[in-house]
PDB file of all heavy atoms in Angstrom:
ATOM      1  N   THR A   1     102.507  93.191  50.764  1.00  0.00           N
ATOM      2  CA  THR A   1     102.145  92.094  49.858  1.00  0.00           C
ATOM      3  C   THR A   1     101.634  90.889  50.629  1.00  0.00           C
ATOM      4  O   THR A   1     100.624  90.270  50.254  1.00  0.00           O
ATOM      5  CB  THR A   1     103.365  91.687  49.010  1.00  0.00           C
ATOM      6  OG1 THR A   1     103.853  92.830  48.308  1.00  0.00           O
ATOM      7  CG2 THR A   1     103.001  90.601  48.014  1.00  0.00           C
ATOM      8  N   LEU A   2     102.352  90.552  51.715  1.00  0.00           N
ATOM      9  CA  LEU A   2     101.938  89.412  52.537  1.00  0.00           C
ATOM     10  C   LEU A   2     100.561  89.629  53.141  1.00  0.00           C
ATOM     11  O   LEU A   2      99.718  88.727  53.152  1.00  0.00           O
ATOM     12  CB  LEU A   2     102.963  89.174  53.659  1.00  0.00           C
ATOM     13  CG  LEU A   2     104.197  88.362  53.294  1.00  0.00           C
ATOM     14  CD1 LEU A   2     105.204  88.420  54.434  1.00  0.00           C
ATOM     15  CD2 LEU A   2     103.832  86.918  53.002  1.00  0.00           C
ATOM     16  N   THR A   3     100.337  90.826  53.655  1.00  0.00           N
ATOM     17  CA  THR A   3      99.051  91.133  54.281  1.00  0.00           C
ATOM     18  C   THR A   3      97.914  91.025  53.279  1.00  0.00           C
ATOM     19  O   THR A   3      96.851  90.459  53.575  1.00  0.00           O
ATOM     20  CB  THR A   3      99.081  92.548  54.893  1.00  0.00           C
ATOM     21  OG1 THR A   3     100.174  92.642  55.810  1.00  0.00           O
ATOM     22  CG2 THR A   3      97.792  92.845  55.636  1.00  0.00           C
ATOM     23  N   ALA A   4      98.146  91.554  52.083  1.00  0.00           N
ATOM     24  CA  ALA A   4      97.126  91.454  51.038  1.00  0.00           C
ATOM     25  C   ALA A   4      96.875  90.001  50.667  1.00  0.00           C
ATOM     26  O   ALA A   4      95.731  89.577  50.455  1.00  0.00           O
ATOM     27  CB  ALA A   4      97.563  92.249  49.807  1.00  0.00           C
ATOM     28  N   GLY A   5      97.969  89.216  50.629  1.00  0.00           N
ATOM     29  CA  GLY A   5      97.829  87.800  50.317  1.00  0.00           C
ATOM     30  C   GLY A   5      97.078  87.041  51.381  1.00  0.00           C
ATOM     31  O   GLY A   5      96.231  86.189  51.086  1.00  0.00           O
ATOM     32  N   VAL A   6      97.385  87.348  52.655  1.00  0.00           N
ATOM     33  CA  VAL A   6      96.682  86.695  53.768  1.00  0.00           C
ATOM     34  C   VAL A   6      95.200  87.023  53.716  1.00  0.00           C
ATOM     35  O   VAL A   6      94.340  86.147  53.887  1.00  0.00           O
ATOM     36  CB  VAL A   6      97.286  87.127  55.122  1.00  0.00           C
ATOM     37  CG1 VAL A   6      96.380  86.708  56.273  1.00  0.00           C
ATOM     38  CG2 VAL A   6      98.659  86.507  55.306  1.00  0.00           C
ATOM     39  N   ALA A   7      94.883  88.290  53.479  1.00  0.00           N
ATOM     40  CA  ALA A   7      93.470  88.705  53.407  1.00  0.00           C
ATOM     41  C   ALA A   7      92.746  87.935  52.309  1.00  0.00           C
ATOM     42  O   ALA A   7      91.602  87.485  52.490  1.00  0.00           O
ATOM     43  CB  ALA A   7      93.383  90.209  53.155  1.00  0.00           C
ATOM     44  N   HIS A   8      93.431  87.767  51.175  1.00  0.00           N
ATOM     45  CA  HIS A   8      92.816  87.038  50.066  1.00  0.00           C
ATOM     46  C   HIS A   8      92.648  85.564  50.405  1.00  0.00           C
ATOM     47  O   HIS A   8      91.586  84.962  50.134  1.00  0.00           O
ATOM     48  CB  HIS A   8      93.683  87.194  48.811  1.00  0.00           C
ATOM     49  CG  HIS A   8      93.184  86.413  47.636  1.00  0.00           C
ATOM     50  ND1 HIS A   8      92.090  86.807  46.891  1.00  0.00           N
ATOM     51  CD2 HIS A   8      93.622  85.243  47.088  1.00  0.00           C
ATOM     52  CE1 HIS A   8      91.876  85.918  45.932  1.00  0.00           C
ATOM     53  NE2 HIS A   8      92.793  84.974  46.022  1.00  0.00           N
ATOM     54  N   GLU A   9      93.692  84.967  51.016  1.00  0.00           N
ATOM     55  CA  GLU A   9      93.649  83.536  51.341  1.00  0.00           C
ATOM     56  C   GLU A   9      92.607  83.223  52.406  1.00  0.00           C
ATOM     57  O   GLU A   9      92.010  82.150  52.400  1.00  0.00           O
ATOM     58  CB  GLU A   9      95.032  83.072  51.819  1.00  0.00           C
ATOM     59  CG  GLU A   9      96.088  83.016  50.732  1.00  0.00           C
ATOM     60  CD  GLU A   9      95.774  81.955  49.687  1.00  0.00           C
ATOM     61  OE1 GLU A   9      95.441  80.820  50.063  1.00  0.00           O
ATOM     62  OE2 GLU A   9      95.851  82.274  48.488  1.00  0.00           O
ATOM     63  N   ILE A  10      92.408  84.144  53.330  1.00  0.00           N
ATOM     64  CA  ILE A  10      91.476  83.907  54.428  1.00  0.00           C
ATOM     65  C   ILE A  10      90.020  83.941  53.948  1.00  0.00           C
ATOM     66  O   ILE A  10      89.149  83.282  54.526  1.00  0.00           O
ATOM     67  CB  ILE A  10      91.710  84.937  55.555  1.00  0.00           C
ATOM     68  CG1 ILE A  10      92.959  84.550  56.356  1.00  0.00           C
ATOM     69  CG2 ILE A  10      90.513  85.057  56.473  1.00  0.00           C
ATOM     70  CD1 ILE A  10      93.329  85.541  57.422  1.00  0.00           C
ATOM     71  N   LYS A  11      89.766  84.677  52.889  1.00  0.00           N
ATOM     72  CA  LYS A  11      88.381  84.838  52.415  1.00  0.00           C
ATOM     73  C   LYS A  11      87.727  83.500  52.081  1.00  0.00           C
ATOM     74  O   LYS A  11      86.576  83.258  52.453  1.00  0.00           O
ATOM     75  CB  LYS A  11      88.354  85.741  51.178  1.00  0.00           C
ATOM     76  CG  LYS A  11      88.496  87.224  51.491  1.00  0.00           C
ATOM     77  CD  LYS A  11      88.404  88.039  50.202  1.00  0.00           C
ATOM     78  CE  LYS A  11      88.528  89.529  50.501  1.00  0.00           C
ATOM     79  NZ  LYS A  11      88.443  90.338  49.261  1.00  0.00           N
ATOM     80  N   ASN A  12      88.435  82.631  51.381  1.00  0.00           N
ATOM     81  CA  ASN A  12      87.838  81.370  50.941  1.00  0.00           C
ATOM     82  C   ASN A  12      87.438  80.460  52.103  1.00  0.00           C
ATOM     83  O   ASN A  12      86.293  80.001  52.156  1.00  0.00           O
ATOM     84  CB  ASN A  12      88.783  80.642  49.980  1.00  0.00           C
ATOM     85  CG  ASN A  12      88.897  81.351  48.651  1.00  0.00           C
ATOM     86  OD1 ASN A  12      87.984  82.062  48.240  1.00  0.00           O
ATOM     87  ND2 ASN A  12      90.017  81.172  47.975  1.00  0.00           N
ATOM     88  N   PRO A  13      88.347  80.156  53.060  1.00  0.00           N
ATOM     89  CA  PRO A  13      87.912  79.311  54.181  1.00  0.00           C
ATOM     90  C   PRO A  13      86.827  79.956  55.034  1.00  0.00           C
ATOM     91  O   PRO A  13      85.935  79.273  55.537  1.00  0.00           O
ATOM     92  CB  PRO A  13      89.199  79.078  54.979  1.00  0.00           C
ATOM     93  CG  PRO A  13      90.169  80.082  54.515  1.00  0.00           C
ATOM     94  CD  PRO A  13      89.792  80.410  53.110  1.00  0.00           C
ATOM     95  N   LEU A  14      86.886  81.298  55.191  1.00  0.00           N
ATOM     96  CA  LEU A  14      85.840  81.972  55.967  1.00  0.00           C
ATOM     97  C   LEU A  14      84.485  81.844  55.276  1.00  0.00           C
ATOM     98  O   LEU A  14      83.459  81.610  55.926  1.00  0.00           O
ATOM     99  CB  LEU A  14      86.193  83.453  56.160  1.00  0.00           C
ATOM    100  CG  LEU A  14      87.260  83.781  57.199  1.00  0.00           C
ATOM    101  CD1 LEU A  14      87.511  85.280  57.251  1.00  0.00           C
ATOM    102  CD2 LEU A  14      86.863  83.273  58.580  1.00  0.00           C
ATOM    103  N   ALA A  15      84.492  81.980  53.955  1.00  0.00           N
ATOM    104  CA  ALA A  15      83.239  81.837  53.206  1.00  0.00           C
ATOM    105  C   ALA A  15      82.698  80.422  53.337  1.00  0.00           C
ATOM    106  O   ALA A  15      81.481  80.214  53.524  1.00  0.00           O
ATOM    107  CB  ALA A  15      83.477  82.181  51.743  1.00  0.00           C
ATOM    108  N   SER A  16      83.588  79.442  53.261  1.00  0.00           N
ATOM    109  CA  SER A  16      83.165  78.045  53.391  1.00  0.00           C
ATOM    110  C   SER A  16      82.609  77.765  54.779  1.00  0.00           C
ATOM    111  O   SER A  16      81.572  77.098  54.934  1.00  0.00           O
ATOM    112  CB  SER A  16      84.351  77.118  53.103  1.00  0.00           C
ATOM    113  OG  SER A  16      83.975  75.772  53.238  1.00  0.00           O
ATOM    114  N   ILE A  17      83.282  78.277  55.814  1.00  0.00           N
ATOM    115  CA  ILE A  17      82.804  78.097  57.191  1.00  0.00           C
ATOM    116  C   ILE A  17      81.426  78.728  57.352  1.00  0.00           C
ATOM    117  O   ILE A  17      80.509  78.137  57.947  1.00  0.00           O
ATOM    118  CB  ILE A  17      83.809  78.718  58.185  1.00  0.00           C
ATOM    119  CG1 ILE A  17      85.084  77.871  58.246  1.00  0.00           C
ATOM    120  CG2 ILE A  17      83.195  78.824  59.582  1.00  0.00           C
ATOM    121  CD1 ILE A  17      86.203  78.507  59.036  1.00  0.00           C
ATOM    122  N   SER A  18      81.278  79.941  56.807  1.00  0.00           N
ATOM    123  CA  SER A  18      79.994  80.639  56.911  1.00  0.00           C
ATOM    124  C   SER A  18      78.863  79.837  56.261  1.00  0.00           C
ATOM    125  O   SER A  18      77.773  79.690  56.824  1.00  0.00           O
ATOM    126  CB  SER A  18      80.110  82.022  56.263  1.00  0.00           C
ATOM    127  OG  SER A  18      78.870  82.688  56.290  1.00  0.00           O
ATOM    128  N   ILE A  19      79.137  79.292  55.070  1.00  0.00           N
ATOM    129  CA  ILE A  19      78.109  78.514  54.353  1.00  0.00           C
ATOM    130  C   ILE A  19      77.690  77.280  55.151  1.00  0.00           C
ATOM    131  O   ILE A  19      76.490  76.991  55.307  1.00  0.00           O
ATOM    132  CB  ILE A  19      78.631  78.111  52.952  1.00  0.00           C
ATOM    133  CG1 ILE A  19      78.732  79.347  52.048  1.00  0.00           C
ATOM    134  CG2 ILE A  19      77.730  77.054  52.320  1.00  0.00           C
ATOM    135  CD1 ILE A  19      79.449  79.087  50.743  1.00  0.00           C
ATOM    136  N   HIS A  20      78.651  76.555  55.671  1.00  0.00           N
ATOM    137  CA  HIS A  20      78.338  75.310  56.374  1.00  0.00           C
ATOM    138  C   HIS A  20      77.689  75.567  57.738  1.00  0.00           C
ATOM    139  O   HIS A  20      76.881  74.754  58.203  1.00  0.00           O
ATOM    140  CB  HIS A  20      79.594  74.450  56.503  1.00  0.00           C
ATOM    141  CG  HIS A  20      79.970  73.763  55.215  1.00  0.00           C
ATOM    142  ND1 HIS A  20      79.412  72.573  54.822  1.00  0.00           N
ATOM    143  CD2 HIS A  20      80.809  74.135  54.217  1.00  0.00           C
ATOM    144  CE1 HIS A  20      79.905  72.218  53.657  1.00  0.00           C
ATOM    145  NE2 HIS A  20      80.768  73.163  53.262  1.00  0.00           N
ATOM    146  N   ILE A  21      78.025  76.671  58.371  1.00  0.00           N
ATOM    147  CA  ILE A  21      77.328  77.021  59.616  1.00  0.00           C
ATOM    148  C   ILE A  21      75.864  77.339  59.309  1.00  0.00           C
ATOM    149  O   ILE A  21      74.953  76.949  60.059  1.00  0.00           O
ATOM    150  CB  ILE A  21      78.029  78.215  60.303  1.00  0.00           C
ATOM    151  CG1 ILE A  21      79.351  77.757  60.921  1.00  0.00           C
ATOM    152  CG2 ILE A  21      77.126  78.813  61.383  1.00  0.00           C
ATOM    153  CD1 ILE A  21      80.153  78.862  61.555  1.00  0.00           C
ATOM    154  N   GLN A  22      75.633  78.049  58.198  1.00  0.00           N
ATOM    155  CA  GLN A  22      74.243  78.331  57.793  1.00  0.00           C
ATOM    156  C   GLN A  22      73.487  77.037  57.502  1.00  0.00           C
ATOM    157  O   GLN A  22      72.308  76.895  57.851  1.00  0.00           O
ATOM    158  CB  GLN A  22      74.240  79.235  56.562  1.00  0.00           C
ATOM    159  CG  GLN A  22      74.692  80.669  56.841  1.00  0.00           C
ATOM    160  CD  GLN A  22      74.753  81.503  55.576  1.00  0.00           C
ATOM    161  OE1 GLN A  22      74.014  81.254  54.631  1.00  0.00           O
ATOM    162  NE2 GLN A  22      75.638  82.497  55.578  1.00  0.00           N
ATOM    163  N   LEU A  23      74.145  76.064  56.859  1.00  0.00           N
ATOM    164  CA  LEU A  23      73.515  74.777  56.569  1.00  0.00           C
ATOM    165  C   LEU A  23      73.201  74.014  57.860  1.00  0.00           C
ATOM    166  O   LEU A  23      72.162  73.344  57.963  1.00  0.00           O
ATOM    167  CB  LEU A  23      74.418  73.940  55.657  1.00  0.00           C
ATOM    168  CG  LEU A  23      74.564  74.457  54.223  1.00  0.00           C
ATOM    169  CD1 LEU A  23      75.630  73.665  53.466  1.00  0.00           C
ATOM    170  CD2 LEU A  23      73.225  74.381  53.487  1.00  0.00           C
ATOM    171  N   ILE A  24      74.101  74.122  58.831  1.00  0.00           N
ATOM    172  CA  ILE A  24      73.849  73.478  60.137  1.00  0.00           C
ATOM    173  C   ILE A  24      72.630  74.113  60.805  1.00  0.00           C
ATOM    174  O   ILE A  24      71.755  73.428  61.349  1.00  0.00           O
ATOM    175  CB  ILE A  24      75.099  73.579  61.034  1.00  0.00           C
ATOM    176  CG1 ILE A  24      76.231  72.691  60.487  1.00  0.00           C
ATOM    177  CG2 ILE A  24      74.763  73.168  62.475  1.00  0.00           C
ATOM    178  CD1 ILE A  24      77.551  72.879  61.193  1.00  0.00           C
ATOM    179  N   LYS A  25      72.592  75.467  60.775  1.00  0.00           N
ATOM    180  CA  LYS A  25      71.448  76.176  61.372  1.00  0.00           C
ATOM    181  C   LYS A  25      70.138  75.772  60.677  1.00  0.00           C
ATOM    182  O   LYS A  25      69.105  75.588  61.331  1.00  0.00           O
ATOM    183  CB  LYS A  25      71.645  77.686  61.251  1.00  0.00           C
ATOM    184  CG  LYS A  25      72.690  78.255  62.194  1.00  0.00           C
ATOM    185  CD  LYS A  25      72.798  79.760  62.006  1.00  0.00           C
ATOM    186  CE  LYS A  25      73.801  80.368  62.986  1.00  0.00           C
ATOM    187  NZ  LYS A  25      73.912  81.838  62.799  1.00  0.00           N
ATOM    188  N   LYS A  26      70.185  75.657  59.347  1.00  0.00           N
ATOM    189  CA  LYS A  26      68.988  75.282  58.591  1.00  0.00           C
ATOM    190  C   LYS A  26      68.534  73.875  58.963  1.00  0.00           C
ATOM    191  O   LYS A  26      67.325  73.607  59.080  1.00  0.00           O
ATOM    192  CB  LYS A  26      69.290  75.363  57.098  1.00  0.00           C
ATOM    193  CG  LYS A  26      68.074  75.135  56.211  1.00  0.00           C
ATOM    194  CD  LYS A  26      68.426  75.319  54.752  1.00  0.00           C
ATOM    195  CE  LYS A  26      67.220  75.097  53.866  1.00  0.00           C
ATOM    196  NZ  LYS A  26      67.547  75.280  52.417  1.00  0.00           N
ATOM    197  N   THR A  27      69.522  72.983  59.152  1.00  0.00           N
ATOM    198  CA  THR A  27      69.193  71.607  59.535  1.00  0.00           C
ATOM    199  C   THR A  27      68.557  71.560  60.920  1.00  0.00           C
ATOM    200  O   THR A  27      67.658  70.744  61.195  1.00  0.00           O
ATOM    201  CB  THR A  27      70.469  70.739  59.505  1.00  0.00           C
ATOM    202  OG1 THR A  27      71.055  70.801  58.214  1.00  0.00           O
ATOM    203  CG2 THR A  27      70.155  69.289  59.830  1.00  0.00           C
ATOM    204  N   MET A  28      69.026  72.440  61.820  1.00  0.00           N
ATOM    205  CA  MET A  28      68.553  72.442  63.209  1.00  0.00           C
ATOM    206  C   MET A  28      67.285  73.266  63.404  1.00  0.00           C
ATOM    207  O   MET A  28      66.622  73.148  64.444  1.00  0.00           O
ATOM    208  CB  MET A  28      69.656  73.002  64.129  1.00  0.00           C
ATOM    209  CG  MET A  28      70.916  72.151  64.161  1.00  0.00           C
ATOM    210  SD  MET A  28      72.239  72.932  65.108  1.00  0.00           S
ATOM    211  CE  MET A  28      71.491  73.057  66.715  1.00  0.00           C
ATOM    212  N   GLN A  29      66.948  74.083  62.425  1.00  0.00           N
ATOM    213  CA  GLN A  29      65.835  75.034  62.588  1.00  0.00           C
ATOM    214  C   GLN A  29      64.507  74.308  62.857  1.00  0.00           C
ATOM    215  O   GLN A  29      64.095  73.415  62.113  1.00  0.00           O
ATOM    216  CB  GLN A  29      65.702  75.899  61.328  1.00  0.00           C
ATOM    217  CG  GLN A  29      64.749  77.063  61.500  1.00  0.00           C
ATOM    218  CD  GLN A  29      64.781  77.992  60.288  1.00  0.00           C
ATOM    219  OE1 GLN A  29      65.377  77.670  59.267  1.00  0.00           O
ATOM    220  NE2 GLN A  29      64.134  79.136  60.419  1.00  0.00           N
ATOM    221  N   GLY A  30      63.862  74.710  63.948  1.00  0.00           N
ATOM    222  CA  GLY A  30      62.549  74.180  64.318  1.00  0.00           C
ATOM    223  C   GLY A  30      62.577  72.771  64.862  1.00  0.00           C
ATOM    224  O   GLY A  30      61.503  72.156  65.029  1.00  0.00           O
ATOM    225  N   LYS A  31      63.731  72.233  65.159  1.00  0.00           N
ATOM    226  CA  LYS A  31      63.829  70.862  65.669  1.00  0.00           C
ATOM    227  C   LYS A  31      64.422  70.865  67.068  1.00  0.00           C
ATOM    228  O   LYS A  31      65.327  71.646  67.375  1.00  0.00           O
ATOM    229  CB  LYS A  31      64.689  70.010  64.738  1.00  0.00           C
ATOM    230  CG  LYS A  31      64.125  69.900  63.320  1.00  0.00           C
ATOM    231  CD  LYS A  31      65.049  69.093  62.430  1.00  0.00           C
ATOM    232  CE  LYS A  31      64.514  69.032  61.005  1.00  0.00           C
ATOM    233  NZ  LYS A  31      65.429  68.304  60.107  1.00  0.00           N
ATOM    234  N   GLU A  32      63.909  69.970  67.913  1.00  0.00           N
ATOM    235  CA  GLU A  32      64.433  69.855  69.276  1.00  0.00           C
ATOM    236  C   GLU A  32      65.715  69.024  69.297  1.00  0.00           C
ATOM    237  O   GLU A  32      66.577  69.213  70.155  1.00  0.00           O
ATOM    238  CB  GLU A  32      63.390  69.215  70.183  1.00  0.00           C
ATOM    239  CG  GLU A  32      62.161  70.094  70.406  1.00  0.00           C
ATOM    240  CD  GLU A  32      61.189  69.459  71.399  1.00  0.00           C
ATOM    241  OE1 GLU A  32      61.517  68.358  71.902  1.00  0.00           O
ATOM    242  OE2 GLU A  32      60.152  70.055  71.650  1.00  0.00           O
TER     243      GLU A  32
END
């Protein structure tokens, strides 16, 4: 139960981190 809960809880922050890293890459794309 705990493992399933951890897997579920981890998904949201990982998704948020992924989105914001993509936004950072987009901001930096083609710029020195």
Side-chain angles (χ1 to χ4, degrees):
T1 304
L2 277 171
T3 304
V6 167
H8 176 75
E9 289 294 313
I10 283 176
K11 282 182 179 180
N12 290 334
L14 284 179
S16 179
I17 289 172
S18 177
I19 290 170
H20 284 276
I21 287 177
Q22 289 176 29
L23 291 172
I24 291 172
K25 287 181 178 180
K26 186 176 180 180
T27 303
M28 296 174 61
Q29 190 173 10
K31 299 178 182 177
E32 293 184 1

